[in-house]
Amino acid sequence: MSVATACANIALVKYWGKRDAGLNTPAAGSLSLTLDSLRTFTQVELTDAEEDTLSLGGKPVTGRPVARITAFADLVRAMAGRKERVAVRSQNSFPTAAGLASSASAFAALAVATADAFGVALSPKELSILARRGSGSAARSIFGGFVLMHGGSASDGQDAFAEPLEGIPLTFSAAVAAARAEEKKIGSTDGMDLTRDTSPYYAAWIDCVNRDLGTAQAALREGDISRLAEIVEGNCLAMHANAMAARPGIIYFGPSTLWAIQEVRAMRAEGTPVFFTIDAGPHVVAFTPPEHLEQVAARLEGHPEVAEVITSPVGDGAHLVERMP
Ligand code: PMV
């Protein structure tokens, strides 16, 4: 039996578009920060049962999530040359129903625990490639801190992996304004496919990501928070503009989203170094140096549609642990 933990990550330069659906390779690179408070623990036990099984937060799950586990475990079974089924128990330290980035931490923890359970020794790069097969953003959650995902170009997907960015002179904490919303209506894969197939802005978006990856890394290395703020917010809004321009348009924003964007910008105008980003849901993530976190978090609580503000320091990479918490 193997148990692993991994943190979610939030992209500063976003992944929104696939190159190859089968290998789940991205159409471009991305850049993220791993967050400690959004954490998954996953236990993998090998069994002689007929089927793989999954429980989430103590509740047995069936259907599509189990099919995803089976497809994923098949990759590791093939590497190991073994046939046992897996009994997977997974638990998040944050509310999954709120639609926060759970697939990244889930598949990163699953990659580490499944490889260990089947006795397959993988390097961090190989774990990142494996995690990517479960979810693109999971490739980044193998590592802590700032992480760069390479889009790659190889047809076997072996150059589409993440690696940590070392020597960045900045650190940020996050305040996540979690909206009172049900689970996200359009999943990332469906959203990405519809955007690629129907948005008139898709090609421009991919060019934008390639530019932002360069400038965001330069801003990080130079410790230039104002420049980074401009790039990160611009990249997030470009991703959403691209998705909104799909037909039918995909709108992830909810009633508190625009409010939180304006609060973050107002705080910045008042002199607080803070900037926002938004994934495929209504929640706004504000990044700020740790000394400003409390003030930023308190401010983001002030909307009736914000269920809670989750604060987080930077998280570490995925790793094995002794037991489930
Ligand atoms: O890893 P996926 O397939 O859940 O896609 C993640 C998509 C975004 O969260 C919106 C952007 C990103 O880079 O994390």
Side-chain angles (χ1 to χ4, degrees):
M1 188 176 75
S2 304
V3 185
T5 184
C7 302
N9 67 77
I10 300 289
L12 305 176
V13 177
K14 306 231 178 256
Y15 155 52
W16 196 255
K18 293 181 199 281
R19 179 155 54 85
D20 179 298
L23 290 169
N24 204 30
T25 46
S30 54
L31 198 163
S32 62
L33 186 65
T34 303
L35 296 185
D36 185 69
S37 303
L38 307 177
R39 189 178 274 283
T40 299
F41 287 88
T42 297
Q43 172 182 304
V44 174
E45 199 173 351
L46 303 188
T47 74
D48 297 326
E50 297 272 296
E51 305 285 345
D52 299 317
T53 58
L54 171 66
S55 87
L56 287 180
K59 294 197 190 90
V61 177
T62 54
R64 184 158 154 64
V66 183
R68 279 181 86 178
I69 295 280
T70 293
F72 190 83
D74 281 346
L75 301 170
V76 186
R77 283 190 276 258
M79 289 176 191
R82 294 172 65 166
K83 291 198 169 11
E84 295 101 317
R85 296 282 124 189
V86 291
V88 178
R89 281 178 51 209
S90 197
Q91 208 163 291
N92 287 333
S93 68
F94 56 95
T96 319
L100 291 166
S102 56
S103 71
S105 52
F107 280 102
L110 186 66
V112 171
T114 310
D116 187 69
F118 280 103
V120 181
L122 297 178
S123 67
K125 174 180 162 180
E126 290 166 327
L127 282 168
S128 177
I129 290 171
L130 174 62
R132 188 202 76 222
R133 299 292 294 271
S135 139
S137 55
R140 302 186 307 240
S141 274
I142 295 297
F143 305 100
F146 291 106
V147 178
L148 177 68
M149 174 80 192
H150 299 282
S153 57
S155 56
D156 62 1
Q158 291 300 303
D159 58 355
F161 61 89
E163 62 184 348
L165 282 180
E166 312 282 2
I168 304 295
L170 291 174
T171 184
F172 295 108
S173 292
V176 185
R180 269 179 230 292
E182 67 282 24
E183 283 191 64
K184 60 182 167 192
K185 294 179 193 87
I186 304 171
S188 55
T189 298
D190 291 344
M192 286 181 202
D193 289 351
L194 184 67
T195 306
R196 182 200 53 215
D197 294 344
T198 66
S199 169
Y201 303 152
Y202 184 74
W205 156 250
I206 297 297
D207 291 344
C208 165
V209 171
N210 288 325
R211 269 195 313 275
D212 288 344
L213 280 172
T215 51
Q217 283 180 79
L220 280 171
R221 296 209 183 283
E222 286 155 19
D224 188 340
I225 300 186
S226 345
R227 179 125 184 276
L228 186 68
E230 242 171 69
I231 299 162
V232 171
E233 293 187 357
N235 184 270
C236 159
L237 294 174
M239 180 196 109
H240 284 274
N242 183 28
M244 283 182 201
R247 304 206 177 170
I250 306 166
I251 302 172
Y252 287 114
F253 290 8
S256 61
T257 312
L258 286 173
W259 172 82
I261 288 174
Q262 273 151 9
E263 284 302 306
V264 167
R265 288 192 161 170
M267 285 188 268
R268 195 155 76 244
E270 291 156 17
T272 307
V274 58
F275 54 91
F276 69 81
T277 191
I278 304 150
D279 281 344
H283 323 293
V284 172
V285 181
F287 287 107
T288 191
E291 62 271 26
H292 299 284
L293 182 64
E294 213 175 303
Q295 172 217 341
V296 168
R299 185 94 165 240
L300 290 176
E301 267 163 16
H303 191 281
E305 286 295 319
V306 172
E308 68 172 315
V309 177
I310 301 167
T311 57
S312 182
V314 173
D316 59 359
H319 56 90
L320 290 166
V321 291
E322 290 287 312
R323 63 184 74 82
M324 292 293 275

